[in-house]
Short mmCIF file of all heavy atoms in Angstrom, two decimals:
data_model
loop_
_atom_site.label_atom_id
_atom_site.label_comp_id
_atom_site.label_asym_id
_atom_site.label_seq_id
_atom_site.Cartn_x
_atom_site.Cartn_y
_atom_site.Cartn_z
N LYS M 339 81.91 70.45 131.16
CA LYS M 339 81.56 71.09 132.44
C LYS M 339 82.84 71.36 133.22
O LYS M 339 83.03 70.95 134.35
CB LYS M 339 80.59 70.21 133.25
CG LYS M 339 79.25 69.99 132.57
CD LYS M 339 78.36 71.22 132.56
CE LYS M 339 77.04 71.01 131.86
NZ LYS M 339 77.08 71.36 130.42
N GLN M 340 83.72 72.04 132.55
CA GLN M 340 85.06 72.27 133.06
C GLN M 340 85.48 73.69 132.68
O GLN M 340 85.06 74.21 131.64
CB GLN M 340 85.98 71.28 132.32
CG GLN M 340 87.05 70.65 133.13
CD GLN M 340 87.85 69.65 132.28
OE1 GLN M 340 87.51 69.37 131.13
NE2 GLN M 340 88.89 69.12 132.86
N ASN M 341 86.32 74.27 133.52
CA ASN M 341 86.84 75.60 133.25
C ASN M 341 88.20 75.43 132.59
O ASN M 341 89.16 75.04 133.23
CB ASN M 341 86.96 76.34 134.60
CG ASN M 341 87.23 77.81 134.42
OD1 ASN M 341 87.03 78.36 133.34
ND2 ASN M 341 87.69 78.44 135.48
N VAL M 342 88.29 75.69 131.29
CA VAL M 342 89.49 75.30 130.54
C VAL M 342 90.18 76.52 129.93
O VAL M 342 89.56 77.57 129.75
CB VAL M 342 89.14 74.30 129.41
CG1 VAL M 342 88.43 73.08 130.00
CG2 VAL M 342 88.28 74.95 128.33
N ALA M 343 91.45 76.35 129.66
CA ALA M 343 92.19 77.46 129.05
C ALA M 343 93.47 76.95 128.40
O ALA M 343 94.00 75.89 128.74
CB ALA M 343 92.55 78.50 130.11
N LEU M 344 93.95 77.74 127.45
CA LEU M 344 95.30 77.56 126.90
C LEU M 344 96.12 78.75 127.38
O LEU M 344 95.61 79.85 127.50
CB LEU M 344 95.28 77.57 125.37
CG LEU M 344 94.36 76.58 124.67
CD1 LEU M 344 94.47 76.74 123.15
CD2 LEU M 344 94.71 75.16 125.07
N GLY M 345 97.38 78.50 127.65
CA GLY M 345 98.22 79.59 128.12
C GLY M 345 99.66 79.36 127.74
O GLY M 345 100.03 78.31 127.20
N THR M 346 100.47 80.37 128.02
CA THR M 346 101.90 80.27 127.73
C THR M 346 102.65 80.58 129.01
O THR M 346 102.37 81.58 129.66
CB THR M 346 102.27 81.21 126.56
OG1 THR M 346 103.64 81.04 126.23
CG2 THR M 346 102.01 82.67 126.86
N VAL M 347 103.55 79.68 129.43
CA VAL M 347 104.31 79.89 130.67
C VAL M 347 105.79 79.71 130.41
O VAL M 347 106.20 79.02 129.47
CB VAL M 347 103.89 78.91 131.81
CG1 VAL M 347 102.45 79.12 132.21
CG2 VAL M 347 104.13 77.46 131.42
N ARG M 348 106.57 80.34 131.26
CA ARG M 348 108.02 80.21 131.15
C ARG M 348 108.47 78.84 131.62
O ARG M 348 108.00 78.35 132.64
CB ARG M 348 108.71 81.26 132.03
CG ARG M 348 108.79 82.59 131.38
CD ARG M 348 109.53 83.60 132.23
NE ARG M 348 109.27 84.92 131.66
CZ ARG M 348 109.89 85.38 130.57
NH1 ARG M 348 110.82 84.67 129.98
NH2 ARG M 348 109.58 86.56 130.09
N MET M 349 109.40 78.25 130.89
CA MET M 349 110.02 77.01 131.33
C MET M 349 110.81 77.32 132.60
O MET M 349 111.28 78.44 132.76
CB MET M 349 110.98 76.51 130.25
CG MET M 349 110.31 76.23 128.94
SD MET M 349 109.48 74.65 128.96
CE MET M 349 110.76 73.62 128.25
N PRO M 350 110.99 76.41 133.51
CA PRO M 350 110.56 75.01 133.45
C PRO M 350 109.13 74.81 133.96
O PRO M 350 108.73 73.66 134.17
CB PRO M 350 111.56 74.32 134.36
CG PRO M 350 111.84 75.35 135.42
CD PRO M 350 111.72 76.70 134.75
N HIS M 351 108.39 75.87 134.18
CA HIS M 351 107.02 75.72 134.68
C HIS M 351 106.16 74.99 133.65
O HIS M 351 106.48 74.96 132.48
CB HIS M 351 106.41 77.09 134.96
CG HIS M 351 107.13 77.85 136.03
ND1 HIS M 351 107.04 77.52 137.36
CD2 HIS M 351 107.97 78.91 135.96
CE1 HIS M 351 107.80 78.35 138.06
NE2 HIS M 351 108.37 79.20 137.24
N GLY M 352 105.04 74.45 134.13
CA GLY M 352 104.01 73.96 133.23
C GLY M 352 104.18 72.53 132.75
O GLY M 352 103.64 72.17 131.69
N LYS M 353 104.91 71.71 133.51
CA LYS M 353 104.98 70.29 133.12
C LYS M 353 103.63 69.63 133.37
O LYS M 353 102.88 70.03 134.26
CB LYS M 353 106.05 69.57 133.94
CG LYS M 353 107.46 69.89 133.49
CD LYS M 353 108.49 68.99 134.14
CE LYS M 353 108.67 69.26 135.63
NZ LYS M 353 109.19 70.59 135.95
N THR M 354 103.32 68.61 132.60
CA THR M 354 102.05 67.91 132.78
C THR M 354 101.90 67.48 134.23
O THR M 354 102.84 66.91 134.81
CB THR M 354 102.01 66.68 131.86
OG1 THR M 354 102.16 67.12 130.52
CG2 THR M 354 100.68 65.94 132.00
N GLY M 355 100.75 67.79 134.79
CA GLY M 355 100.49 67.42 136.18
C GLY M 355 100.84 68.52 137.17
O GLY M 355 100.39 68.49 138.32
N ASP M 356 101.62 69.53 136.74
CA ASP M 356 101.97 70.64 137.64
C ASP M 356 100.72 71.42 138.06
O ASP M 356 99.75 71.50 137.30
CB ASP M 356 102.90 71.64 136.92
CG ASP M 356 104.35 71.21 136.96
OD1 ASP M 356 104.61 70.09 137.46
OD2 ASP M 356 105.20 71.98 136.47
N THR M 357 100.82 71.98 139.24
CA THR M 357 99.77 72.90 139.67
C THR M 357 100.26 74.32 139.50
O THR M 357 101.40 74.64 139.86
CB THR M 357 99.45 72.66 141.16
OG1 THR M 357 98.91 71.36 141.29
CG2 THR M 357 98.43 73.68 141.66
N VAL M 358 99.43 75.16 138.93
CA VAL M 358 99.76 76.59 138.85
C VAL M 358 98.54 77.37 139.34
O VAL M 358 97.48 76.77 139.63
CB VAL M 358 100.12 77.03 137.40
CG1 VAL M 358 101.39 76.35 136.93
CG2 VAL M 358 98.97 76.75 136.45
N TRP M 359 98.67 78.68 139.44
CA TRP M 359 97.57 79.51 139.94
C TRP M 359 97.23 80.59 138.93
O TRP M 359 98.12 81.19 138.34
CB TRP M 359 97.95 80.13 141.29
CG TRP M 359 98.12 79.07 142.33
CD1 TRP M 359 99.24 78.30 142.54
CD2 TRP M 359 97.12 78.61 143.24
NE1 TRP M 359 99.01 77.40 143.54
CE2 TRP M 359 97.71 77.57 144.00
CE3 TRP M 359 95.80 78.97 143.50
CZ2 TRP M 359 97.02 76.88 145.00
CZ3 TRP M 359 95.11 78.30 144.50
CH2 TRP M 359 95.71 77.27 145.23
N VAL M 360 95.96 80.79 138.75
CA VAL M 360 95.50 81.72 137.73
C VAL M 360 94.73 82.85 138.42
O VAL M 360 93.83 82.60 139.22
CB VAL M 360 94.60 81.00 136.71
CG1 VAL M 360 94.14 81.97 135.64
CG2 VAL M 360 95.35 79.83 136.08
N GLU M 361 95.13 84.07 138.09
CA GLU M 361 94.48 85.22 138.73
C GLU M 361 93.33 85.69 137.85
O GLU M 361 93.54 86.28 136.78
CB GLU M 361 95.52 86.34 138.90
CG GLU M 361 94.99 87.56 139.58
CD GLU M 361 96.05 88.65 139.65
OE1 GLU M 361 96.81 88.81 138.67
OE2 GLU M 361 96.12 89.32 140.69
N ILE M 362 92.12 85.43 138.30
CA ILE M 362 90.94 85.70 137.47
C ILE M 362 90.19 86.91 138.01
O ILE M 362 89.90 86.99 139.21
CB ILE M 362 90.01 84.48 137.43
CG1 ILE M 362 90.77 83.26 136.87
CG2 ILE M 362 88.76 84.76 136.61
CD1 ILE M 362 90.03 81.95 137.03
N PHE M 363 89.89 87.82 137.13
CA PHE M 363 89.04 88.95 137.49
C PHE M 363 87.69 88.76 136.81
O PHE M 363 87.66 88.41 135.62
CB PHE M 363 89.65 90.27 137.02
CG PHE M 363 90.87 90.68 137.80
CD1 PHE M 363 92.13 90.20 137.46
CD2 PHE M 363 90.75 91.53 138.89
CE1 PHE M 363 93.25 90.57 138.19
CE2 PHE M 363 91.87 91.92 139.62
CZ PHE M 363 93.11 91.43 139.27
N TYR M 364 86.63 88.95 137.52
CA TYR M 364 85.33 88.90 136.85
C TYR M 364 84.42 89.98 137.41
O TYR M 364 84.57 90.42 138.55
CB TYR M 364 84.69 87.52 136.95
CG TYR M 364 84.35 87.08 138.36
CD1 TYR M 364 83.07 87.32 138.89
CD2 TYR M 364 85.29 86.43 139.14
CE1 TYR M 364 82.76 86.92 140.17
CE2 TYR M 364 84.99 86.04 140.43
CZ TYR M 364 83.72 86.28 140.95
OH TYR M 364 83.42 85.90 142.22
N GLN M 365 83.51 90.40 136.57
CA GLN M 365 82.66 91.54 136.93
C GLN M 365 81.22 91.09 137.08
O GLN M 365 80.70 90.38 136.21
CB GLN M 365 82.76 92.61 135.84
CG GLN M 365 82.13 93.92 136.21
CD GLN M 365 82.26 94.95 135.10
OE1 GLN M 365 82.29 94.61 133.93
NE2 GLN M 365 82.33 96.21 135.48
#
Side-chain angles (χ1 to χ4, degrees):
Chain M
K339 297 288 179 268
Q340 219 178 354
N341 191 17
V342 304
L344 305 180
T346 184
V347 297
R348 278 183 194 282
M349 300 280 266
H351 297 287
K353 285 190 290 297
T354 301
D356 277 5
T357 295
V358 295
W359 295 83
V360 181
E361 182 182 39
I362 301 169
F363 289 86
Y364 64 93
Q365 190 179 31

